[in-house]
């Protein structure tokens, strides 16, 4: 057995999923293998930590607030005992027809005790009874298959042999980009499916072919880019060579098994992929993974329809559109340990590979996720070299960088802080009084002008905001002195959700 | 008692239904709390999920467990919330603010309940869902598979990877 196999045993041991024999195998191994023993111990401490997660409770009960009207509708709607035409709610797709799992004591325990609750220290946790009893074979319903078997399709008459793997594209609006083509030993029927780029795990699980986010990204660099829109105001702006494609979240990953896309059309918001079967793949299965630029067909999904060359629908996939979900934390940037002194020297000895560290924009692009941004956030340079702008979800952030080891052109840049631009047009409730403060200062003539308001740190509930502003003050002899200044604002909230300044800000 | 019976009882009167919803609420909230990683978001998801459970309880047909069915509602509501979110929230939980350490520094120091909570919130959504159902609610692979409409193999892959990420985060080792 490999270490990898023992790892899986360790993981299953956490879930008490091992048979007696497997447990013995594992126990014997970790007695002699220090590495696996260490991992075992680490996993067990982690599992203990997970088991101790507190059973938080909501501060207010929403159930208590549900109107009698809503309850009455539900109760009366249920009155006819025989189920009528079944309405499948939108959020509930086809449910596997698995047999009901008996809840055991379930709700017959006093309800106030919390149904699924297991309180610490009560000895007998209630939830145990809610699991299928040991020994009672759990019923396996047909679970959601990623790749349902489509009806067999015939090769197109004019394309007897498509063994040659040329992807001929007619009238395409979107060209599938081949990521990986691989032969796997398992025999799989011809199928196709589309998944979200973040769901590459599924490709592996279903076909045995591993595709990593790096594979997707790698091809992207080589792929031809649409001509970049050149704005006039590029003076002093660092070159942006790793800017993601504008509509990166419109990509889907298409997996084909023993078939190849011969045409992709986007028609009335529908993405239609025509497939031709691959012949001549005896002794194994050919799996190909493509990336496809596909506009989303509704707000939250992209529907990809697979057809045979005659236009018969083989299958359809609904792919959730990826929305940026990561939200960076304003304040000190996460410390990117890889950008250390060793990396500084590597960038000098092997500039071909590591020169990116000397370009602040590329540093931020490369470590976008680690900095807490969404993978498809837009990165660009700013007027100053040590600040890089990142835009996601309509919010503009600024990443401040420093050169800790070497100053100048060859110096490595390391992110130091993440700030959020204060939206002057639409300030948030806590930002409005801050904005008013600067306007007041301007009206009173204390400052001549202010711009580039950045939130450097925020303690929303405590009501403190540290804001940097670029201010111009009147200097002697009618001149202006401009500077970046930082202020700590204290705010207090009212019951109606508005905030006001609590005294004057501290100038830092 | 069978799940279908529980549902039938809950649908007998407004009082019974209200009682049922109050009973499942803490459990819905726990899932939402660990899925969203934020109290305010957890409250939103809880409220929305309760509403959906209330509206469609009479459609529960007893295929799969009631617990799995409710979880599916919560997870789907959570996913909707993620999708709908146009602008990221800036609201941070008290706990995140109590320290001036960066997230990574806080998380990497040692395994505490708080650091674990934060680390879970940083996992990819796919892993987080499975991990929460497994560890917060002690659901079996099969139950999770039903609730999330996955195969058991997928559940295991996601769960194992999620835990591997957590282990790497707290104890170092090969990056996942
Ligand atoms: Zn070993």
């Amino acid at each position: 057995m490999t270490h990898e196999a023992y790892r899986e045993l360790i993981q299953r041991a956490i879930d008490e999923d091992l048979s007696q024999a497997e447990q013995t195998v594992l126990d014997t191994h970790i007695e002699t293998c220090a590495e696996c023993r260490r991992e075992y111990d680490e996993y067990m401490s982690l599992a203990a930590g997970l088991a101790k997660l507190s059973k938080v409770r909501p501060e207010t009960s929403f159930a208590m607030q549900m109107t009698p009207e809503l309850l009455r509708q539900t109760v009366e709607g249920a009155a006819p005992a025989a189920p009528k035409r079944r309405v499948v709610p939108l959020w509930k797709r086809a449910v596997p027809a698995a047999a009901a799992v008996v809840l055991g004591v379930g709700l017959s325990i006093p309800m106030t005790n919390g149904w699924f609750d297991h309180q610490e220290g009560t000895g007998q946790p209630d939830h145990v009874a809610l699991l299928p009893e040991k020994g009672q074979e759990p019923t396996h319903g047909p679970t959601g298959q990623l790749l349902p078997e489509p009806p067999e399709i015939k090769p197109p008459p004019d394309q007897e042999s498509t063994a040659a793997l040329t992807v001929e594209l007619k009238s395409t609006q979107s060209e599938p980009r081949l990521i990986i083509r691989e032969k796997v030993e398992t025999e799989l029927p011809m199928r196709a499916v589309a998944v979200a780029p973040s769901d590459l795990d599924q490709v592996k699980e279903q076909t045995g072919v591993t595709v990593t986010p790096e594979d997707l990204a790698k091809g992207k660099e080589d792929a031809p880019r649409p001509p970049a829109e050149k704005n006039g105001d590029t003076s002093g702006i660092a070159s942006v060579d790793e800017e993601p494609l504008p509509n990166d979240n419109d990509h889907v990953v298409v997996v084909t098994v023993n078939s190849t896309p011969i045409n992709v059309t986007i028609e009335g918001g529908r993405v239609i992929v025509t497939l031709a079967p691959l012949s001549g793949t005896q002794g194994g299965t050919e799996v190909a993974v493509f990336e496809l630029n596909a506009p989303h067909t509704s707000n939250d999904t992209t529907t990809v329809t697979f057809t045979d060359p005659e236009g018969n629908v083989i299958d359809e996939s609904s792919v959730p559109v990826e929305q940026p979900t990561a939200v960076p934390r304003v304040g000190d940037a996460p410390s990117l340990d890889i950008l250390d002194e060793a990396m500084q020297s590597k960038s000098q000895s092997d500039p071909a590979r590591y020169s990116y560290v000397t370009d602040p924009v590329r540093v931020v692009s490369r470590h976008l996720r680690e900095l807490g941004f969404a993978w498809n956030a837009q990165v660009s340079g700013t007027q100053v070299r040590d600040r890089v702008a990142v835009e996601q979800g309509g919010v503009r952030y600024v990443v401040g960088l420093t050169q800790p080891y070497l100053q100048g052109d060859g110096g490595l840049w390391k992110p130091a802080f993440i700030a959020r631009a204060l939206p002057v047009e639409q300030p948030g409730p806590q930002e409005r009084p801050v904005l008013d403060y600067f306007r007041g200062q301007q009206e009173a003539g204390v400052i001549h002008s202010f711009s580039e308001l950045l939130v450097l740190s925020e303690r929303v509930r405590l009501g403190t905001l540290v804001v940097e502003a670029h201010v111009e003050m009147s200097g002697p002899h009618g001149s202006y002195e401009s500077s970046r200044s930082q202020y700590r604002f204290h705010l207090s909230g009212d019951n109606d959700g508005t905030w006001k300044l609590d005294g004057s800000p501290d100038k830092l | 008692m069978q799940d279908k019976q529980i549902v039938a009882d809950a649908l007998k009167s407004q009082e019974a239904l209200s009682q049922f919803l109050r009973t499942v609420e803490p459990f819905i909230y726990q899932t939402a709390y660990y899925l969203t990683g934020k109290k305010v978001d957890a409250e939103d998801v809880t409220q929305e999920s309760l509403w959906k459970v209330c509206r469609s309880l009479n459609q529960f047909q007893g295929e799969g467990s009631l617990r799995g069915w409710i979880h599916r509602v919560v997870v789907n509501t959570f996913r909707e919330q993620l999708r709908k979110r146009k602008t990221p929230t800036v609201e941070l939980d008290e706990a995140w603010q109590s320290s001036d350490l960066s997230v990574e520094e806080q998380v990497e120091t040692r395994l505490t309940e708080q650091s674990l909570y934060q680390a879970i919130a940083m996992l990819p959504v796919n892993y987080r869902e499975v991990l929460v159902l497994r560890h917060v609610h002690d659901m079996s692979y099969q139950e999770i598979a039903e609730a999330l409409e996955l195969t058991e193999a997928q559940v295991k892959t996601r769960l194992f990877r999620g835990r591997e990420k957590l282990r790497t985060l707290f104890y170092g080792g090969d990056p996942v």
Side-chain angles (χ1 to χ4, degrees):
Chain A
M1 264 173 90
T2 60
H3 281 298
E4 204 50 49
Y6 287 113
R7 274 190 173 177
E8 186 173 333
L9 285 185
I10 295 171
Q11 286 261 17
R12 286 175 47 214
I14 300 176
D15 301 319
E16 292 167 14
D17 188 49
L18 294 189
S19 68
Q20 194 56 55
E22 287 171 320
Q23 186 71 54
T24 311
V25 167
L26 179 60
D27 290 345
T28 315
H29 179 70
I30 55 179
E31 262 173 43
T32 56
C33 176
E35 193 188 332
C36 287
R37 189 166 54 241
R38 182 178 54 81
E39 268 196 32
Y40 180 83
D41 291 343
E42 288 170 358
Y43 271 118
M44 286 306 153
S45 325
L46 177 65
L50 287 167
K52 273 191 289 197
L53 285 177
S54 58
K55 306 298 163 194
V56 286
R57 280 173 177 275
E59 281 163 16
T60 47
S61 167
F62 299 105
M64 300 276 273
Q65 296 163 24
M66 297 192 108
T67 61
E69 178 56 22
L70 177 62
L71 299 174
R72 190 185 58 77
Q73 281 176 12
T74 305
V75 170
E76 287 178 2
K84 302 175 291 188
R85 197 153 38 86
R86 189 170 153 219
V87 183
V88 180
L90 284 179
W91 43 267
K92 188 182 175 194
R93 295 173 308 173
V95 176
V101 174
V102 179
L103 260 181
V105 291
L107 284 181
S108 59
I109 58 172
M111 286 202 163
T112 46
N113 201 14
W115 183 19
F116 302 92
D117 226 358
H118 44 112
Q119 280 135 359
E120 310 236 326
T122 50
Q124 188 57 29
D126 300 328
H127 67 276
V128 171
L130 298 167
L131 293 174
E133 277 175 38
K134 284 262 154 76
Q136 173 194 340
E137 196 56 27
T139 324
H140 292 255
T143 37
Q145 277 286 323
L146 172 68
L147 299 168
E149 222 168 296
E152 203 184 314
I153 68 166
K154 291 180 268 324
D158 58 331
Q159 237 172 320
E160 286 301 322
S161 171
T162 42
L165 298 176
T166 45
V167 176
E168 202 184 317
L169 294 151
K170 302 168 226 152
S171 70
T172 51
Q173 297 185 23
S174 177
E175 191 167 338
R177 187 168 66 78
L178 181 68
I179 311 287
I180 275 184
R181 192 191 292 282
E182 222 174 280
K183 276 212 167 183
V184 295
E185 286 189 6
T186 354
E187 296 279 344
L188 296 168
M190 177 189 158
R191 308 153 160 182
V193 75
V195 298
S198 65
D199 217 3
L200 297 173
D201 282 356
Q202 295 214 33
V203 179
K204 163 96 181 170
E205 286 161 16
Q206 296 288 324
T207 64
V209 174
T210 308
V211 189
T212 63
E214 288 71 39
D215 292 331
L216 284 186
K218 194 168 58 200
K220 208 161 279 176
E221 281 163 22
D222 313 330
R225 289 152 190 274
E229 283 172 44
K230 288 275 178 234
N231 299 329
D233 59 347
T234 47
S235 56
I237 293 181
S239 71
V240 184
D241 53 359
E242 294 195 353
E243 193 175 349
L245 300 176
N247 44 0
D248 236 5
N249 56 344
D250 285 352
H251 282 91
V252 296
V253 172
V254 168
V255 185
T256 59
V257 178
N258 283 340
S259 58
T260 196
I262 54 167
N263 195 14
V264 180
T265 49
I266 297 155
E267 200 181 278
R270 286 212 316 164
V271 181
I272 299 160
V273 179
T274 312
L275 295 173
L278 281 180
S279 50
T281 52
Q282 297 95 329
T285 300
E286 184 169 299
V287 177
V289 180
F290 297 87
E291 190 186 49
L292 190 66
N293 189 328
H296 42 259
T297 43
S298 76
N299 272 343
D300 47 19
T301 54
T302 302
T303 306
V304 181
T305 308
F306 296 97
T307 71
D308 66 11
E310 275 96 43
N312 303 314
V313 174
I314 301 168
D315 196 13
E316 196 164 81
S317 299
S318 257
V319 184
V321 172
E322 314 225 312
Q323 300 285 353
T325 54
V327 179
R329 180 176 183 264
V330 167
D332 290 341
S335 71
L336 302 175
D337 293 336
I338 190 169
L339 299 176
D340 59 3
E341 216 158 352
M343 180 58 96
Q344 171 73 75
S345 16
K346 273 195 266 181
S347 75
Q348 286 156 302
S349 57
D350 189 1
R353 280 181 69 188
Y354 299 111
S355 69
Y356 89 91
V357 300
T358 61
D359 181 343
V361 173
R362 291 177 66 193
V363 167
V364 173
S365 303
R366 184 81 162 248
H367 298 286
L368 208 49
R369 298 299 293 270
E370 293 146 271
L371 290 170
F373 292 99
W375 64 288
N376 55 356
Q378 308 272 319
V379 184
S380 59
T382 68
Q383 307 278 352
V384 283
R385 192 146 170 81
D386 63 355
R387 292 189 173 194
V388 170
V390 182
E391 200 148 337
Q392 77 174 43
V395 181
R396 182 182 156 91
Y397 296 89
V398 170
V399 179
L401 300 97
T402 58
Q403 293 185 306
Y405 312 113
L406 187 68
Q407 309 288 311
D409 282 350
L412 170 151
W413 289 95
K414 195 170 174 142
F417 67 88
I418 298 175
R420 185 170 51 78
L422 194 150
V424 177
E425 302 296 321
Q426 282 180 302
Q430 290 192 330
E431 296 162 346
R432 189 176 297 281
V434 170
L435 197 56
D436 289 344
Y437 169 80
F438 285 108
R439 285 181 177 145
Q441 294 280 297
Q442 190 177 13
E443 273 166 32
V446 181
I447 58 173
H448 175 67
S449 70
F450 67 95
S451 57
E452 296 168 40
L453 296 183
L454 285 179
V455 178
L456 298 179
S457 111
E458 52 195 343
R459 302 277 184 270
V460 176
R461 301 229 167 131
L462 302 178
T464 56
L465 282 184
V466 177
V467 174
E468 184 195 82
H470 190 254
V471 294
E472 279 190 324
M473 304 242 215
S474 306
H477 321 298
S479 67
Y480 293 121
E481 285 171 14
S482 73
S483 63
R484 279 185 190 160
S485 307
Q486 298 180 357
Y487 307 79
R488 179 180 287 116
F489 289 90
H490 302 274
L491 301 132
S492 53
D494 277 337
N495 287 335
D496 60 356
T498 60
W499 293 78
K500 60 179 194 316
L501 284 193
D502 202 356
S504 315
D506 312 321
K507 198 149 182 245
L508 304 175
Chain B
M1 203 192 307
Q2 290 247 345
D3 285 0
K4 275 182 91 167
Q5 190 56 49
I6 293 166
V7 170
D9 288 349
L11 290 170
K12 273 180 186 153
S13 68
Q14 284 176 37
E15 292 69 36
L17 181 58
S18 177
Q19 178 71 62
F20 172 83
L21 293 172
R22 273 180 278 154
T23 307
V24 298
E25 181 172 28
F27 141 85
I28 290 178
Y29 180 76
Q30 280 159 20
T31 309
Y33 178 78
Y34 288 104
L35 281 182
T36 60
K38 285 201 196 79
K39 244 200 275 189
V40 272
D41 289 348
E43 286 168 1
D44 284 351
V45 169
T46 304
Q47 192 167 12
E48 184 70 15
S49 302
L50 273 171
W51 188 84
K52 286 178 180 169
V53 167
C54 176
R55 288 313 295 256
S56 41
L57 191 62
N58 52 17
Q59 289 156 21
F60 176 78
Q61 300 286 305
E63 64 299 73
S65 72
L66 178 58
R67 190 157 87 129
W69 183 83
I70 292 175
H71 271 299
R72 189 154 53 233
V73 177
V74 182
V75 169
N76 282 318
T77 307
F78 163 65
R79 289 177 188 170
E80 275 164 32
Q81 188 197 51
L82 284 185
R83 275 184 229 129
K84 274 189 211 149
R85 178 140 301 150
K86 289 280 184 332
T87 49
T89 49
V90 293
E91 182 84 5
L92 299 166
D93 257 341
E94 299 285 2
W96 288 72
Q97 304 164 24
S98 58
S99 155
D100 279 331
L101 293 173
S102 75
V103 170
E104 200 170 69
E105 282 166 328
Q106 286 184 45
V107 166
E108 281 194 3
T109 43
R110 67 206 169 85
L111 201 155
T112 61
E113 184 177 336
Q114 185 56 34
S115 63
L116 198 48
Y117 174 54
Q118 292 173 3
I120 292 171
M122 295 196 305
L123 285 178
V125 171
N126 281 350
Y127 300 163
R128 211 188 308 164
E129 290 171 353
V130 173
L131 194 94
V132 167
L133 296 191
R134 176 70 197 93
H135 288 287
V136 177
H137 296 297
D138 267 308
M139 286 170 70
S140 66
Y141 300 148
Q142 191 218 348
E143 252 188 307
I144 300 170
E146 269 178 27
L148 299 180
E149 293 170 349
L150 298 170
T151 62
E152 281 189 48
Q154 288 172 320
V155 169
K156 278 196 235 178
T157 308
R158 292 180 185 192
L159 179 65
F160 293 1
R161 287 209 191 132
R163 286 198 299 227
E164 195 174 352
K165 270 186 196 288
L166 289 181
R167 184 185 64 85
T168 315
L169 191 58
F170 287 109
Y171 302 105
D174 316 329
V176 184

